[in-house]
Amino acid sequence: MKIVRYLLGAMLVIQAFVVAPVFAQKMATVNVVQIFGTVDPAKVNDYTEYMAAVNMYEALTTLDSSGSIKPLLAESWDVSADTLTYTFKLKSGATFQDGSPVEAKDVVYSVNRLLALNEGPSYLFEGVLDENSVSAVGNDKVEFKLKKVYTPFLTNTPILFVVNSDVAEANKTSSDPWAQDFIANNTIGAGAFKMTNWERGATMTMERYKGYHLGWGSDAIDKVRFVVTNEEATVKALAASGELSMSSDAQAQETYESIGKMENYRIESYATASNFYLKLNHQVAPTDDVHIRKAIAYATDYNTIRAALLPGEPLAGPLPPVFAEAYLDDLELPTYDLAKAKEHVGMSKYAGSGPIDVEIMFVAGLAFEEEIALLMKANLDQIGFNTILKPEPWNRMTELAGKPETTPAINEVFFSATYPSPDSFFFTQYHSAAKGTWASMEWVLDKEIDALIDKARGTGDVAEQNKIYKEIQRRLVENQSDVYLLTQRSQQAMSNCLSGFAWVPMMSFEFNFHTMKWNCN
């Protein structure tokens, strides 16, 4: 009966998603496990939203697989001796998807729009840029005058996505001066792909822009269709039909194993700089007590998680070791020790008060996250906790993360660099100025940590900067900011027709479909 039910379910799934012959055109079908909350490049902040932005919009720069900053809309740039002025020369011939040229005024408008809306990555430029910081020098040069020394600035430029200012201005209203409603539903960038359909919560389709300034080689992908689902049966059914081109990297191990056995599919595995944490809320009971945080860390069965539930490399602290010069390499790896966990419970202010209620929040429908939560519950309940599982859809998790009192005590969260600098891990997750997002569910709110992060951002001496980064790591680990589960080793099921995928150390920048090819001959 199970087999019959599965086959019937698979047939229904295939009927629901197959809208054209599988290989009738060079179309890639990609499954993602989170909804696209927005396609506005001034508001993006998670992996699916960045996946859309990277394909639909361009920035002044991009980066390669080593993390080096490379020209994109800018062909070159100069930096003043005091590092306060950056001048970018725009390349000739780049156009928006309506065919109009990308000009300096569009960059100025886009940065000012980002700062005015104060969403997405705008927090990175707080105290660094204001509405008077960016100016056009003719049509082809843009000058940034920073308000203070900010060493990560150049590494931030790949996320300063440029919108067509003329189209935005034509669609603004008195109540919506930055055309938020229009840009929420339409793409007005210079990217390789243009959104053509979006069924919120279900699918999104984008088609290539033939006039893209980097051009198109042979076997270029014509269309990309994203299917939003975290149902393992749906992903397997898409593969069984031959329609799946690329799976997400958040499927259950059994799904990868099943698809890997199918004809015309392979499983790609690669190292990343994405950490997976149990983010511990420092502002609510019981994780406001450092001994409780340490108890949770000791009660975590790291080896079982990495071996059976989610592949990854051991992680000693908040920074992945890929940032070698900044990495504090004398940190000890965390260990699983229930006896020590129980000792720390006994040293906490909650000792002797009966079972200690603690919530674990995770993404509903993600099998491996549920399995990790169940494993944590089994261990924590042995040492004096009453562990409450709290599965939530991702958009609800991000909503709850907005306030310390609504953020659960324990939260299963991936975090990847949003720009290729150690600062991305420290500022975005632990600085008080970045509080209130899914990335900062720890609510550390520590003035000494803030001061160290600010000091690192304000020095141009790389050796001194790395020394500060190491001190930040030491303090966060001593205070058990999180449970450091692993640095992810990603897996994705891919069709053998798809090639050219290469990991990049910046959130979702590897999902640039212009760099990939489709060939089923």
Side-chain angles (χ1 to χ4, degrees):
M1 288 298 293
K2 283 185 177 180
I3 294 174
V4 171
R5 284 198 298 269
Y6 175 79
L7 289 173
L8 287 171
M11 289 172 65
L12 289 172
V13 166
I14 293 167
Q15 289 171 3
F17 286 118
V18 176
V19 295
V22 175
F23 302 129
Q25 63 181 144
K26 292 175 180 176
M27 182 174 75
T29 296
V30 180
N31 97 271
V32 294
V33 297
Q34 291 174 197
I35 66 168
F36 292 88
T38 183
V39 292
D40 187 329
K43 298 182 178 184
V44 294
N45 69 15
D46 65 28
Y47 100 95
T48 47
E49 294 170 0
Y50 269 99
M51 192 184 299
V54 164
N55 286 284
M56 299 173 186
Y57 289 90
E58 298 285 87
L60 292 168
T61 65
T62 187
L63 72 166
D64 62 19
S65 58
S66 71
S68 299
I69 300 299
K70 299 294 184 183
L72 192 54
L73 289 177
E75 65 178 24
S76 62
W77 53 86
D78 295 310
V79 185
S80 64
D82 61 5
T83 71
L84 289 174
T85 302
Y86 289 73
T87 305
F88 294 85
K89 173 72 165 62
L90 299 185
K91 71 177 291 186
S92 176
T95 61
F96 290 109
Q97 292 163 349
D98 66 353
S100 61
V102 177
E103 297 178 334
K105 67 174 184 177
D106 299 301
V107 180
V108 175
Y109 176 89
S110 300
V111 176
N112 286 338
R113 181 176 186 271
L114 172 69
L115 298 176
L117 296 182
N118 196 29
E119 296 187 44
S122 64
Y123 67 90
L124 297 174
F125 305 100
E126 184 177 344
V128 177
L129 299 175
D130 63 22
E131 67 275 10
N132 300 312
S133 295
V134 190
S135 59
V137 183
N139 289 331
D140 64 349
K141 284 188 179 179
V142 183
E143 186 176 82
F144 289 77
K145 286 189 173 295
L146 277 56
K147 297 170 68 65
K148 62 183 179 182
V149 174
Y150 175 49
T151 52
F153 178 71
L154 193 59
T155 64
N156 290 170
T157 53
I159 55 178
L160 289 175
F161 297 112
V162 179
V163 302
N164 187 326
S165 61
D166 289 338
V167 174
E169 284 288 291
N171 287 278
K172 71 179 183 180
T173 65
S174 58
S175 61
D176 183 12
W178 294 105
Q180 294 180 71
D181 288 344
F182 183 79
I183 297 176
N185 297 288
N186 300 274
T187 52
I188 57 170
F193 291 86
K194 183 177 180 66
M195 184 176 70
T196 55
N197 185 62
W198 184 14
E199 298 176 19
R200 284 167 172 76
T203 64
M204 178 185 289
T205 303
M206 58 186 188
E207 297 184 12
R208 69 179 170 118
Y209 167 47
K210 293 181 181 178
Y212 181 54
H213 67 102
L214 294 182
W216 296 93
S218 59
D219 298 327
I221 295 171
D222 297 307
K223 180 184 292 188
V224 180
R225 185 175 55 134
F226 298 104
V227 175
V228 182
T229 180
N230 54 24
E231 292 289 337
E232 304 294 337
T234 301
V235 179
K236 286 186 281 189
L238 285 168
S241 74
E243 189 173 6
L244 183 71
S245 306
M246 177 191 295
S247 77
S248 80
D249 61 356
Q251 305 304 142
Q253 285 298 109
E254 187 276 331
T255 296
Y256 294 122
E257 292 168 4
S258 176
I259 297 176
K261 295 174 183 177
M262 296 181 188
E263 187 178 358
N264 201 44
Y265 282 95
R266 67 188 187 277
I267 305 300
E268 289 207 5
S269 177
Y270 51 94
T272 75
S274 298
N275 288 348
F276 190 51
Y277 307 91
L278 299 182
K279 287 180 173 283
L280 307 177
N281 184 348
H282 294 214
Q283 304 303 317
V284 299
T287 45
D288 58 343
D289 188 304
V290 66
H291 288 294
I292 292 294
R293 297 198 295 273
K294 288 184 180 294
I296 294 167
Y298 275 117
T300 302
D301 189 346
Y302 303 91
N303 289 339
T304 295
I305 291 170
R306 290 194 300 263
L309 303 180
L310 181 65
E313 302 301 323
L315 182 64
L319 187 71
V322 69
F323 295 102
E325 298 300 316
Y327 182 70
L328 182 59
D329 57 11
D330 65 0
L331 291 175
E332 294 184 3
L333 291 173
T335 57
Y336 172 47
D337 189 327
L338 283 180
K340 283 189 177 180
K342 196 166 186 177
E343 286 178 16
H344 277 286
V345 172
M347 290 187 280
S348 76
K349 65 183 178 183
Y350 297 100
S353 60
I356 303 166
D357 288 345
V358 65
E359 282 189 327
I360 300 181
M361 184 164 69
F362 57 94
V363 179
L366 283 188
F368 75 89
E369 290 201 6
E370 182 178 9
E371 289 166 351
I372 290 171
L374 288 168
L375 179 61
M376 290 301 303
K377 176 175 173 58
N379 291 338
L380 291 172
D381 286 0
Q382 292 182 58
I383 58 170
F385 290 91
N386 172 40
T387 310
I388 303 159
L389 304 188
K390 188 177 177 62
E392 295 282 0
W394 176 248
N395 58 322
R396 176 60 176 161
M397 287 180 67
T398 62
E399 180 184 340
L400 292 172
K403 298 178 182 178
E405 61 270 21
T406 58
T407 305
I410 307 174
N411 307 275
E412 295 187 39
V413 176
F414 285 98
F415 183 81
S416 304
T418 50
Y419 46 99
S421 166
D423 181 74
S424 178
F425 281 84
F426 299 128
F427 184 85
T428 309
Q429 297 187 100
Y430 305 112
H431 197 289
S432 298
K435 67 181 182 295
T437 76
W438 62 269
S440 58
M441 286 182 174
E442 296 87 352
W443 295 95
V444 170
L445 306 183
D446 184 317
K447 291 182 179 179
E448 292 183 358
I449 293 293
D450 292 347
L452 285 168
I453 294 171
D454 290 338
K455 186 177 179 182
R457 296 179 126 209
T459 179
D461 183 332
V462 175
E464 176 63 20
Q465 192 178 61
N466 288 333
K467 182 179 177 181
I468 298 168
Y469 287 147
K470 291 176 181 179
E471 177 61 20
I472 295 170
Q473 290 167 77
R474 191 179 304 282
R475 292 191 182 210
L476 289 171
V477 170
E478 287 175 353
N479 202 30
Q480 199 68 60
S481 64
D482 310 80
V483 176
Y484 316 110
L485 286 173
L486 53 87
T487 298
Q488 186 183 18
R489 184 165 187 84
S490 280
Q491 297 180 95
Q492 287 180 271
M494 296 197 186
S495 166
N496 289 337
C497 300
L498 186 70
S499 62
F501 175 87
W503 178 76
V504 176
M506 194 162 175
M507 186 187 296
S508 296
F509 272 63
E510 64 265 36
F511 299 110
N512 179 350
F513 289 93
H514 174 262
T515 65
M516 300 183 214
K517 296 182 181 296
W518 186 265
N519 190 327
C520 285
N521 294 333

